[in-house]
Coordinates of all heavy atoms in Angstrom, one line a residue:
P1 N 98.4 95.7 78.4 CA 97.5 94.9 79.2 C 96.6 95.7 80.1 O 96.8 96.9 80.3 CB 98.5 94.1 80.1 CG 99.7 94.9 80.1 CD 99.8 95.6 78.8
L2 N 95.6 95.1 80.6 CA 94.6 95.8 81.5 C 95.1 95.9 82.9 O 95.7 95.0 83.5 CB 93.3 94.9 81.5 CG 92.2 95.4 82.4 CD1 91.6 96.8 82.0 CD2 91.1 94.4 82.5
L3 N 94.9 97.1 83.5 CA 95.2 97.3 84.9 C 93.9 97.6 85.6 O 93.4 98.7 85.4 CB 96.2 98.5 85.0 CG 96.6 98.9 86.5 CD1 97.4 97.7 87.1 CD2 97.4 100.1 86.5
S4 N 93.4 96.7 86.4 CA 92.1 96.8 87.0 C 92.2 97.5 88.3 O 91.2 98.1 88.8 CB 91.4 95.5 87.1 OG 92.2 94.6 87.9
S5 N 93.4 97.5 89.0 CA 93.5 98.1 90.3 C 94.9 98.4 90.6 O 95.8 97.7 90.2 CB 92.9 97.2 91.4 OG 93.1 97.7 92.7
L6 N 95.1 99.5 91.4 CA 96.4 99.8 91.9 C 96.6 99.4 93.4 O 97.6 99.7 94.0 CB 96.7 101.3 91.8 CG 97.0 101.8 90.3 CD1 96.8 103.3 90.2 CD2 98.4 101.3 89.9
R7 N 95.6 98.8 93.9 CA 95.6 98.4 95.4 C 96.7 97.3 95.5 O 96.9 96.4 94.7 CB 94.3 97.8 95.8 CG 93.2 98.9 95.9 CD 91.9 98.4 96.6 NE 91.0 99.4 96.8 CZ 90.1 99.8 95.9 NH1 90.0 99.1 94.7 NH2 89.2 100.8 96.1
L8 N 97.4 97.4 96.7 CA 98.3 96.3 97.0 C 97.6 95.0 97.3 O 96.6 95.0 97.9 CB 99.1 96.7 98.2 CG 100.3 97.7 98.0 CD1 100.9 98.0 99.4 CD2 101.4 97.0 97.1
T9 N 98.2 93.9 96.8 CA 97.6 92.6 97.0 C 98.7 91.7 97.7 O 99.8 92.1 97.8 CB 97.2 91.9 95.7 OG1 98.4 91.7 94.9 CG2 96.2 92.8 94.9
A10 N 98.2 90.6 98.2 CA 99.1 89.7 98.9 C 100.2 89.3 97.9 O 101.4 89.2 98.3 CB 98.4 88.5 99.3
L11 N 99.9 89.1 96.6 CA 100.9 88.7 95.6 C 101.9 89.8 95.4 O 103.1 89.5 95.3 CB 100.2 88.4 94.3 CG 101.1 87.8 93.2 CD1 101.8 86.5 93.7 CD2 100.3 87.6 91.9
D12 N 101.5 91.1 95.5 CA 102.4 92.2 95.3 C 103.5 92.2 96.4 O 104.6 92.5 96.2 CB 101.7 93.5 95.3 CG 100.8 93.7 94.1 OD1 101.2 93.3 93.0 OD2 99.7 94.2 94.3
M13 N 103.0 91.9 97.6 CA 103.9 92.0 98.8 C 104.6 90.7 99.1 O 105.5 90.7 100.0 CB 103.1 92.4 100.0 CG 102.5 93.8 99.9 SD 101.6 94.3 101.4 CE 100.1 93.5 101.1
S14 N 104.3 89.6 98.4 CA 104.9 88.3 98.7 C 106.3 88.2 98.3 O 106.8 88.9 97.3 CB 104.1 87.2 98.1 OG 104.2 87.3 96.7
K15 N 107.1 87.4 98.9 CA 108.5 87.1 98.6 C 108.5 85.7 97.9 O 107.8 84.8 98.3 CB 109.3 87.1 99.9 CG 109.5 88.5 100.5 CD 110.3 88.3 101.8 CE 110.6 89.7 102.4 NZ 109.3 90.4 102.8
Q16 N 109.4 85.6 97.0 CA 109.7 84.4 96.3 C 110.8 83.6 97.1 O 111.8 84.2 97.3 CB 110.1 84.6 94.9 CG 109.1 85.4 94.0 CD 107.7 84.8 94.1 OE1 107.5 83.6 93.8 NE2 106.7 85.6 94.5
L17 N 110.5 82.4 97.5 CA 111.4 81.6 98.3 C 111.8 80.3 97.6 O 111.1 79.8 96.8 CB 110.8 81.3 99.6 CG 110.3 82.5 100.5 CD1 109.6 82.0 101.7 CD2 111.5 83.3 100.9
T18 N 113.0 79.8 98.0 CA 113.4 78.5 97.6 C 112.5 77.4 98.4 O 112.3 77.6 99.6 CB 114.9 78.2 97.9 OG1 115.6 79.2 97.2 CG2 115.3 76.8 97.4
S19 N 112.1 76.5 97.7 CA 111.2 75.4 98.3 C 111.9 74.1 98.4 O 113.0 73.9 97.8 CB 109.9 75.3 97.5 OG 110.2 74.8 96.2
L20 N 111.4 73.2 99.2 CA 111.9 71.8 99.3 C 110.7 70.9 99.1 O 109.5 71.3 99.3 CB 112.5 71.6 100.7 CG 113.8 72.4 101.0 CD1 114.3 72.1 102.4 CD2 114.9 72.0 100.0
D21 N 111.0 69.6 98.8 CA 109.9 68.6 98.8 C 109.9 67.9 100.2 O 110.8 68.1 101.0 CB 110.1 67.6 97.7 CG 111.4 66.8 97.8 OD1 111.7 66.3 98.9 OD2 112.1 66.6 96.7
E22 N 108.9 67.1 100.4 CA 108.7 66.6 101.7 C 109.7 65.5 102.1 O 109.8 65.2 103.3 CB 107.3 65.9 101.8 CG 107.1 64.8 100.8 CD 105.6 64.3 100.8 OE1 105.0 64.5 101.8 OE2 105.2 63.6 99.8
K23 N 110.5 65.1 101.2 CA 111.6 64.1 101.5 C 112.9 64.8 101.8 O 113.9 64.1 102.1 CB 111.7 63.1 100.4 CG 110.6 62.2 100.2 CD 110.8 61.1 99.2 CE 109.7 60.1 99.1 NZ 109.9 59.0 98.1
A24 N 113.0 66.1 101.8 CA 114.2 66.8 102.1 C 114.5 66.6 103.6 O 113.7 66.5 104.4 CB 114.0 68.3 101.8
T25 N 115.8 66.5 103.9 CA 116.3 66.3 105.2 C 116.3 67.5 106.1 O 116.3 68.6 105.6 CB 117.7 65.6 105.2 OG1 118.6 66.6 104.8 CG2 117.7 64.4 104.4
F26 N 116.4 67.3 107.4 CA 116.6 68.4 108.3 C 117.9 69.1 108.0 O 118.0 70.3 108.2 CB 116.6 67.9 109.8 CG 115.3 67.7 110.4 CD1 114.1 67.5 109.6 CD2 115.1 67.8 111.8 CE1 112.9 67.3 110.2 CE2 113.9 67.6 112.4 CZ 112.8 67.4 111.6
L27 N 118.9 68.4 107.6 CA 120.2 69.0 107.2 C 120.0 70.0 106.1 O 120.5 71.1 106.1 CB 121.2 67.9 106.9 CG 122.6 68.4 106.5 CD1 123.2 69.1 107.7 CD2 123.5 67.2 106.1
E28 N 119.3 69.5 105.0 CA 119.1 70.4 103.9 C 118.2 71.6 104.3 O 118.5 72.8 104.0 CB 118.3 69.7 102.8 CG 119.1 68.6 102.1 CD 118.3 67.8 101.2 OE1 117.4 67.0 101.6 OE2 118.4 67.9 100.0
A29 N 117.2 71.4 105.2 CA 116.4 72.5 105.6 C 117.1 73.5 106.5 O 117.0 74.7 106.4 CB 115.2 71.9 106.4
S30 N 118.0 72.9 107.4 CA 118.7 73.8 108.3 C 119.7 74.7 107.5 O 119.9 75.9 107.8 CB 119.5 73.0 109.3 OG 120.5 72.2 108.7
K31 N 120.3 74.2 106.4 CA 121.2 75.0 105.6 C 120.4 76.1 104.9 O 120.9 77.2 104.8 CB 121.9 74.1 104.6 CG 123.0 73.2 105.2 CD 123.7 72.3 104.2 CE 124.7 71.5 104.8 NZ 125.4 70.6 103.8
L32 N 119.2 75.7 104.4 CA 118.4 76.7 103.7 C 117.8 77.8 104.6 O 117.7 78.9 104.3 CB 117.2 76.0 103.0 CG 116.3 76.8 102.1 CD1 117.1 77.6 101.1 CD2 115.3 76.0 101.4
L33 N 117.6 77.4 105.9 CA 117.0 78.3 106.9 C 118.1 79.4 107.3 O 117.7 80.3 107.9 CB 116.5 77.6 108.1 CG 115.1 76.9 107.8 CD1 114.8 75.9 109.0 CD2 114.0 77.9 107.6
E34 N 119.3 79.1 106.9 CA 120.3 80.2 107.2 C 120.2 81.3 106.2 O 120.6 82.5 106.5 CB 121.7 79.6 107.0 CG 122.1 78.5 108.1 CD 123.5 77.9 107.8 OE1 124.1 78.3 106.8 OE2 123.9 77.1 108.6
K35 N 119.5 81.1 105.1 CA 119.3 82.1 104.1 C 117.9 82.7 104.1 O 117.7 83.8 103.6 CB 119.5 81.5 102.7 CG 120.9 80.9 102.5 CD 121.1 80.2 101.2 CE 122.4 79.6 101.0 NZ 122.6 78.8 99.7
Q36 N 116.9 81.9 104.5 CA 115.5 82.4 104.6 C 114.8 81.9 105.8 O 115.2 80.9 106.4 CB 114.7 82.0 103.3 CG 114.7 80.5 103.1 CD 114.1 80.1 101.7 OE1 114.6 80.6 100.7 NE2 113.1 79.3 101.7
K37 N 113.8 82.7 106.3 CA 113.2 82.4 107.6 C 112.2 81.2 107.6 O 111.9 80.7 108.6 CB 112.5 83.6 108.1 CG 113.5 84.8 108.3 CD 112.7 86.0 108.8 CE 113.6 87.3 108.9 NZ 112.8 88.5 109.3
V38 N 111.7 80.9 106.5 CA 110.7 79.9 106.3 C 110.9 79.2 105.0 O 111.3 79.8 104.0 CB 109.3 80.5 106.5 CG1 109.0 81.5 105.4 CG2 108.2 79.4 106.5
I39 N 110.5 77.9 105.0 CA 110.6 77.1 103.8 C 109.3 76.6 103.4 O 108.6 75.9 104.2 CB 111.6 75.9 104.0 CG1 113.0 76.4 104.4 CG2 111.7 75.0 102.8 CD1 113.9 75.2 104.8
P40 N 108.8 76.9 102.2 CA 107.6 76.2 101.7 C 107.9 74.8 101.2 O 108.9 74.5 100.6 CB 107.2 77.1 100.5 CG 108.4 77.7 100.1 CD 109.3 77.9 101.2
V41 N 107.1 73.8 101.6 CA 107.3 72.5 101.2 C 106.2 72.2 100.1 O 105.0 72.3 100.3 CB 107.1 71.5 102.4 CG1 107.3 70.0 101.9 CG2 108.0 71.8 103.5
L42 N 106.7 71.8 98.9 CA 105.8 71.7 97.7 C 105.9 70.4 97.1 O 106.9 69.6 97.2 CB 106.2 72.8 96.7 CG 106.4 74.2 97.1 CD1 106.7 75.0 95.8 CD2 105.1 74.7 97.7
K43 N 104.8 70.0 96.4 CA 104.7 68.8 95.6 C 104.0 69.2 94.3 O 102.8 69.6 94.4 CB 104.0 67.7 96.3 CG 103.9 66.4 95.5 CD 103.3 65.3 96.3 CE 103.3 64.0 95.5 NZ 102.7 62.9 96.3
S44 N 104.7 69.2 93.2 CA 104.1 69.6 91.9 C 103.6 71.0 92.0 O 102.5 71.3 91.6 CB 103.0 68.7 91.5 OG 103.5 67.3 91.3
D45 N 104.4 71.9 92.7 CA 104.1 73.3 92.8 C 102.9 73.6 93.8 O 102.5 74.7 94.0 CB 103.8 74.0 91.5 CG 105.0 74.1 90.6 OD1 106.1 74.2 91.2 OD2 104.9 74.0 89.4

């Protein structure tokens, strides 16, 4: 494959996190926040 740059990008430094949907409860969120500092809320990715 083509390598166009060796510069660091936001994607290179990003972390993959567990997400929740908007109907998830505070209880679900609080349990997940014990494992990660922030939760992305997604709908269809």
Side-chain angles (χ1 to χ4, degrees):
L2 175 68
L3 179 64
S4 57
S5 176
L6 286 164
R7 291 187 175 90
L8 278 176
T9 66
L11 186 61
D12 293 321
M13 294 182 282
S14 66
K15 294 178 174 63
Q16 302 305 306
L17 301 175
T18 301
S19 62
L20 294 175
D21 63 45
E22 60 184 340
K23 291 186 177 181
T25 66
F26 276 26
L27 181 62
E28 292 173 288
S30 62
K31 290 180 178 178
L32 184 54
L33 286 170
E34 293 177 1
K35 303 175 182 178
Q36 59 191 53
K37 298 176 182 177
V38 61
I39 300 171
V41 182
L42 308 182
K43 183 176 183 179
S44 301
D45 294 328

